Amino acid sequence: MSVLVVTGASRGIGAATAKLAVSQGYRVVVNYLANEQAANQVVGSIEAAGGSAIAVSADVSLEADVVRLFEETLSRFGQVDALVNNAGILGPHMPLEAMTVERITRVFNTNVIGSMLCAREAIKFMSTSNGGVGGGIVNVSSMAAKLGSPYEYVDYAASKGAIDSLTKGLAIELAECGIRVNAVRPGVIHTDIHASGGEPDRVDRVKQNVPMKRGGTTVEVAHAILWLLSAEASYVTGAFIDVSGGR
Ligand code: NAP
């Protein structure tokens, strides 16, 4: 049975991906930052569905934590076949001129450096050039990478632009190593992340600008992520799926 590591899987899109992955035969590593209870609930619901999962706390922005995350994965499941770089954060709405360097650094450390560190560790085990059997990586970007998020969080949007560049470059770097690298760009999705921006009901405001006139669900994003990881997408790498209701 293949093993999937999902970062930031205690809530939101990560939790939905971890739960849906069980129906596709994955054993799942549910990474989280601090919310142990929520992570354990995700593991509990996977086990209740007959699947296998572990919860591992690790801050993806810290190298030592990321190394430990993959060591624990290997010690428990013996292999790593797929990674979803999902953990991501944003700060309260404000223009760039009001942002502190601490805030910008925190966003980039989690969203960009975290994804790069997790990919680096996964590649060590998955790459055929290292004796692995190959695998898949899906990066969770955002439509913010294209829209820029003016007056709200251009730091976050720029971090997702970096994720798009990472996806393209890494896909080419790993194309001959048995690893496909792709990304999804969610639009406005119903999760807790909007509360960190200071507007828990942001989806209800922004949905008027979405051609489909609604926010997306976490499961709709999870389906796109898992398709990109699946054998059905075996010739797809360096690709992006916008899961955004047409926005
Ligand atoms: P969310 O509901 O706020 O959940 C965030 C998850 O990330 C939680 O599991 C959290 O763990 C974890 N996390 C935060 N910082 C972490 C760190 N340093 N190390 C490890 N885990 C960390 O977020 P979401 O809305 O599902 O977003 C998931 C991804 O989708 C993000 O990359 C986000 O940028 C992207 N996205 C979301 C939307 C949207 O509208 N929701 C749109 C476009 C893109 P704890 O529970 O322990 O705090």
Side-chain angles (χ1 to χ4, degrees), residues 8 10-11 13 33-35 58-60 86 156 160 187 189 191 194:
S10 47
R11 295 183 278 123
I13 292 166
L33 178 63
N35 199 336
D59 182 340
V60 296
N86 167 76
Y156 170 83
K160 295 301 186 179
I189 310 299
T191 74
H194 307 290

Side-chain angles (χ1 to χ4, degrees), residues 13 23 29 41 53 61 63 98 114 133 144 174 187 201 225 227 230 233:
I13 292 166
S23 63
V29 177
Q41 275 173 7
S61 70
E63 183 177 29
V133 296
L174 298 173
D201 299 328
I225 291 171
W227 180 78
S230 75

Side-chain angles (χ1 to χ4, degrees), residues 18-238:
K19 290 188 216 171
L20 194 63
V22 175
S23 63
Q24 306 197 2
Y26 286 104
R27 292 173 287 170
V28 185
V29 177
V30 175
N31 161 251
Y32 65 101
L33 178 63
N35 199 336
E36 183 177 11
Q37 192 183 2
N40 285 337
Q41 275 173 7
V42 174
V43 169
S45 90
I46 288 171
E47 288 173 344
S52 180
I54 54 168
V56 180
S57 165
D59 182 340
V60 296
S61 70
L62 301 177
E63 183 177 29
D65 278 27
V66 173
V67 169
R68 180 178 47 75
L69 169 64
F70 283 86
E71 282 172 355
E72 286 189 30
T73 300
L74 282 179
S75 97
R76 174 64 187 262
F77 289 136
Q79 64 196 76
V80 180
D81 302 283
L83 165 68
V84 179
N85 267 323
N86 167 76
I89 58 167
L90 49 76
H93 295 183
M94 63 181 72
L96 177 69
E97 67 175 347
M99 290 180 193
T100 63
V101 70
E102 289 78 16
R103 167 206 166 112
I104 297 169
T105 305
R106 200 164 49 84
V107 167
F108 270 75
N109 280 350
T110 299
N111 298 5
V112 184
I113 311 276
S115 296
M116 294 173 100
L117 290 174
C118 289
R120 187 192 73 185
E121 291 310 299
I123 292 162
K124 286 181 186 168
F125 303 108
M126 298 193 303
S127 174
T128 53
S129 65
N130 297 330
V133 296
I137 297 174
V138 173
N139 296 321
V140 180
S141 175
S142 170
M143 288 308 292
K146 290 179 155 184
L147 299 169
S149 306
Y151 314 111
E152 293 188 336
Y153 26 66
V154 293
D155 55 342
Y156 170 83
S159 79
K160 295 301 186 179
I163 289 298
D164 286 4
S165 302
L166 171 68
T167 303
K168 199 73 201 166
L170 201 54
I172 296 166
E173 237 176 65
L174 298 173
E176 290 185 278
C177 302
I179 302 174
R180 295 183 299 102
V181 185
N182 294 291
V184 294
R185 290 195 200 99
V188 281
I189 310 299
H190 290 279
T191 74
D192 296 343
I193 203 169
H194 307 290
S196 7
E199 190 184 4
D201 299 328
R202 180 171 183 272
V203 178
D204 290 330
R205 175 174 60 85
V206 174
K207 71 183 180 190
Q208 291 315 317
N209 304 325
V210 176
M212 290 177 72
K213 301 293 179 210
R214 68 171 177 87
T217 67
T218 56
V219 173
E220 287 174 312
V221 182
H223 275 294
I225 291 171
L226 288 166
W227 180 78
L228 285 168
L229 289 178
S230 75
E232 291 170 358
S234 54
Y235 198 50
V236 179
T237 198

